[in-house]
């Protein structure tokens, strides 16, 4: 299995408001930046969308180290998802995106790690900058 590093961040100007997301996929010396946004969304949706859109790029099962400054995304992946599935996502927000995440994460082995935002983590800073720029474009 290829080992992939996935760095992600999401942003919204207002919650809800215009939002953007960015992810960096890294395999050995290769990197790919995935980015996008929406006119009306929330920060948590953009954090999760970054991860989903990055997973969609992978063509084979991979071992993934995911780095995010979103406790919501990291804890959901590492701790909460199994119980959410068992209770059929009752009282869970962003069910559409979590179901999409499950679809695209299925072939992979993913371990999520939390990184402190705005603390100099290079890839997180890059993703944050791009996500905020995209959110600002949707605001215009």
């Amino acid at each position: 299995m290829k080992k992939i590093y996935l760095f992600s961040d999401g942003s919204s100007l207002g919650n809800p408001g215009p939002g953007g997301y960015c992810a960096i996929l890294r395999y050995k010396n290769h990197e790919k930046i995935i980015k996008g946004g929406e006119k009306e969304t929330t920060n948590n949706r953009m954090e999760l969308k970054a991860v989903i859109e990055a997973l969609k790029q992978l063509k084979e099962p991979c071992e993934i180290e995911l780095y995010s400054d979103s406790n919501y995304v990291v804890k959901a992946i590492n701790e909460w998802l199994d119980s959410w599935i068992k209770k059929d996502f009752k009282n869970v927000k962003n069910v559409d995106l979590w179901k999409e995440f499950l679809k695209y994460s299925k072939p992979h082995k993913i371990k999520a790690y939390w990184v402190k935002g705005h603390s100099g983590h290079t890839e997180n800073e890059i993703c944050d900058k791009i996500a905020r720029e995209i959110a600002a474009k949707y605001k215009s």
Side-chain angles (χ1 to χ4, degrees):
M1 250 186 184
K2 289 180 179 172
K3 184 162 189 174
I4 305 289
Y5 296 89
L6 194 170
F7 307 92
S8 64
D9 201 14
S11 175
S12 68
L13 307 174
N15 209 12
Y21 64 83
C22 178
I24 299 171
L25 280 173
R26 182 180 296 147
Y27 172 67
K28 295 186 178 176
N29 295 329
H30 305 283
E31 273 190 6
K32 183 171 190 173
I33 294 178
I34 298 95
K35 57 188 177 180
E38 295 177 9
K39 189 159 183 60
E40 186 75 8
T41 189
T42 65
N43 186 66
N44 281 344
R45 288 186 68 81
M46 290 295 91
E47 294 279 4
L48 183 51
K49 190 78 170 165
V51 174
I52 293 166
E53 294 304 317
L55 292 175
K56 286 180 178 179
Q57 304 297 311
L58 302 174
K59 306 293 184 225
E60 63 187 83
C62 297
E63 180 183 338
I64 301 166
E65 282 189 17
L66 164 63
Y67 294 88
S68 172
D69 64 4
S70 169
N71 265 311
Y72 173 68
V73 168
V74 171
K75 287 190 179 221
I77 291 169
N78 290 340
E79 300 171 31
W80 303 333
L81 257 177
D82 287 340
S83 66
W84 288 353
I85 293 165
K86 284 178 188 153
K87 66 178 191 171
D88 198 29
F89 292 94
K90 186 177 165 96
N91 300 321
V92 174
K93 292 182 179 174
N94 307 312
V95 175
D96 58 328
L97 290 181
W98 284 114
K99 287 185 175 181
E100 192 176 9
F101 169 81
L102 288 171
K103 175 183 173 183
Y104 289 102
S105 66
K106 193 171 190 165
H108 308 294
K109 183 180 178 210
I110 301 173
K111 178 66 178 162
Y113 298 92
W114 180 79
V115 295
K116 185 175 173 146
H118 312 287
S119 65
H121 185 282
T122 303
E123 294 86 357
N124 182 258
E125 296 290 345
I126 292 166
C127 287
D128 178 69
K129 180 178 185 289
I130 292 170
R132 282 188 290 114
E133 287 171 356
I134 291 169
K137 285 181 186 173
Y138 277 92
K139 189 175 186 177
S140 311

